[in-house]
Amino acid sequence: MRHFLEVDDLNLDELQQVLELSTKPDLPKVLDGQGVALIFEKPSGRTRNSMEMATVQLGGHPMYVKPEELGIDTRETAEDVVRTMAGYHSVLAARVFDHDRLERMAATNAMPIVNLLSDVAHPMQALADLLTIEQEIGLTRVGKVAYVGDANNVWRSLAIGCSMLGIETSVASPAGHGPNADDLERIVTHGSAVQVTDDPHEAVNEADVVYTDVWTSMGQESEKADRLDAFSRFTVDSALMTTANPSSIFMHCLPAHRGEEVTDEVIESAQSKVFPQAHNRMHSARGLLSWIIGETTNHGQ
Ligand code: CP
Ligand code: NVA
C-alpha cells in the first residue's frame, strides 16, 4: 500500500516514472468504475478541479466530500472514516490543516492516501512544478531554483523534489520564517545543496527559476498584519528579476496576492509561467493517480 504525503514518499526512480506518466494524455483507464474521494478542509480552485478532471480522464468518478459531513475526529475518528471510504473508493485525497491527520489516515493502510496540501507539505503542487521546469527549461539543464518568501508547505515539497533530481535550490526568508534544521537536513540528504539567506537578491542571483508563494497561508490569517510587515522586503519585482539569469522563468503555485509577494508586472511578464504551471496540476495529478493505482494493482493490495 503506497501513500503520497510528501514528494520523498517516492524514490527517485518512482518520481521520474510519475513525471513521465504526467506527460501522457491518454493513459489506460485504470480508474474505470472506481471512485476517488476528495476531502477539503480549506478552499481550493486548482487542486479540486485538477484532481476531479484527472480522475475522469482515468475513467474514474471523483467524489467531493464536505469535511463537515464526514465530521473527521468529531463524528467519528479519521481512521474509521478511511476504513469506511476504502469500501467505496480506490484513493482518498485530502487537504487538511494538520499533517498528522494524513499520517493517521495513511497508518490504517486501508487505501492509498494522497496529500492535497497540509500545513507541512504540498507534494501534488511540487509534481506540477517539476513538470513545468522540465517543459520550460529541462530538469537536467536547470541550474538554481530560487524561492523567495515563506519557507512553507509549497517551498518544502519543491525543495525536496528538486534535491532528489539533483537541482540546487536557494531560499530567502525573513528571520523567523526560514527553514528549520530538520527541513534542511531532509533536503540535503537527497543529494543537492540548498543556499539559505535573508537576502532575496543573493538567493535569486543567477537563478533559472524564481518562485514565490503567499506570505500568509490558509490557517495563518490572524498573523497577516505581522507577516505583511516581516515580508515587506521580499516582493518579487522586476528589479529582483534582473538579478536572475536573463532566460529565467517566474513561478507561483497560485493563488497570488498581487502587490504583496509578486508585482503585477512580474506575474504578467513573458517570464511568468504561472498558468502553464497551474494547468500542469491536472497532468501531474493524472500521472500520480495512474502510478498509485498501478502500485496498488501490481502488488495485489
Ligand atoms: N496551488 C493550489 O493548490 O491552488 P488551490 O489552493 O486553488 O487548490
Ligand atoms: N502556502 C499556501 C499554498 C496555497 C496553495 C497555503 O498553504 O495556503
Side-chain angles (χ1 to χ4, degrees):
M1 179 68 59
R2 299 296 299 272
H3 306 288
F4 188 60
L5 305 193
E6 180 53 291
V7 178
D8 57 5
D9 285 345
L10 308 175
N11 63 33
L12 174 59
D13 183 52
E14 291 166 342
L15 175 58
Q16 287 170 329
Q17 281 177 46
V18 169
L19 291 173
E20 176 65 21
L21 285 169
S22 304
T23 65
K24 301 191 187 314
D26 290 315
L27 289 170
K29 304 280 187 261
V30 292
L31 281 170
D32 186 27
Q34 300 177 50
V36 173
L38 300 167
I39 300 172
F40 287 86
E41 295 179 3
K42 311 179 193 183
S44 169
R46 281 146 287 273
T47 306
R48 177 179 174 184
N49 282 278
S50 60
M51 287 294 293
E52 290 210 12
M53 289 314 300
T55 300
V56 168
Q57 289 168 1
L58 293 172
H61 180 82
M63 184 167 288
Y64 175 77
V65 194
K66 289 183 189 164
E68 55 269 32
E69 278 180 350
L70 286 175
I72 301 171
D73 287 331
T74 52
R75 192 162 181 263
E76 58 187 326
T77 65
E79 287 84 355
D80 284 356
V81 168
V82 175
R83 291 163 71 195
T84 303
M85 288 291 156
Y88 317 136
H89 300 285
S90 297
V91 175
L92 187 151
R95 168 168 287 196
V96 299
F97 283 97
D98 184 356
H99 191 81
D100 181 59
R101 181 166 275 175
L102 291 172
E103 299 276 7
R104 287 172 48 216
M105 289 175 157
T108 65
N109 267 333
M111 65 198 302
I113 305 296
V114 173
N115 181 3
L116 299 181
L117 180 144
S118 69
D119 52 337
V120 172
H122 199 2
M124 294 300 288
Q125 180 67 51
L127 293 179
D129 298 342
L130 294 170
L131 185 61
T132 307
I133 294 171
E134 165 67 1
Q135 290 168 348
E136 299 292 340
I137 300 172
L139 289 167
T140 56
R141 283 189 297 280
V142 66
K144 181 164 76 172
V145 173
Y147 181 96
V148 178
D150 194 16
N152 61 12
N153 43 14
V154 167
W155 164 75
R156 192 170 289 105
S157 296
L158 175 68
I160 289 171
C162 284
S163 185
M164 288 174 70
L165 291 163
I167 301 166
E168 179 195 340
T169 58
S170 62
V171 51
S173 316
H177 299 284
N180 63 39
D182 287 347
D183 290 331
L184 294 175
E185 189 185 337
R186 184 168 178 176
I187 293 162
V188 298
T189 298
H190 289 299
S192 306
V194 49
Q195 176 191 10
V196 182
T197 174
D198 63 0
D199 178 356
H201 286 89
E202 191 183 331
V204 168
N205 185 41
E206 296 189 350
D208 293 316
V209 176
V210 180
Y211 198 121
T212 191
D213 182 18
V214 293
W215 296 338
T216 304
S217 284
M218 292 180 278
Q220 298 174 330
E221 289 76 8
S222 65
E223 301 170 24
K224 184 167 182 183
D226 287 347
R227 285 174 168 272
L228 279 174
D229 190 41
F231 285 93
S232 59
R233 286 190 303 115
F234 290 77
T235 302
V236 177
D237 57 17
S238 297
L240 184 61
M241 288 301 293
T242 61
T243 316
N245 280 335
S247 59
S248 63
I249 61 170
F250 171 76
M251 296 177 69
H252 190 311
C253 57
L254 304 179
H257 293 173
R258 292 162 179 250
E260 293 183 19
E261 75 276 2
V262 61
T263 60
D264 272 329
E265 196 179 10
V266 169
I267 204 167
E268 296 296 344
S269 69
Q271 282 169 285
S272 174
K273 303 300 172 193
V274 299
F275 293 110
Q277 181 186 358
H279 299 162
N280 274 334
R281 291 294 308 274
M282 180 176 74
H283 304 303
S284 52
R286 193 175 59 240
L288 187 280
L289 286 172
S290 176
W291 176 82
I292 214 161
I293 291 297
E295 284 297 303
T296 309
T297 310
N298 293 340
H299 298 288
Q301 290 167 332

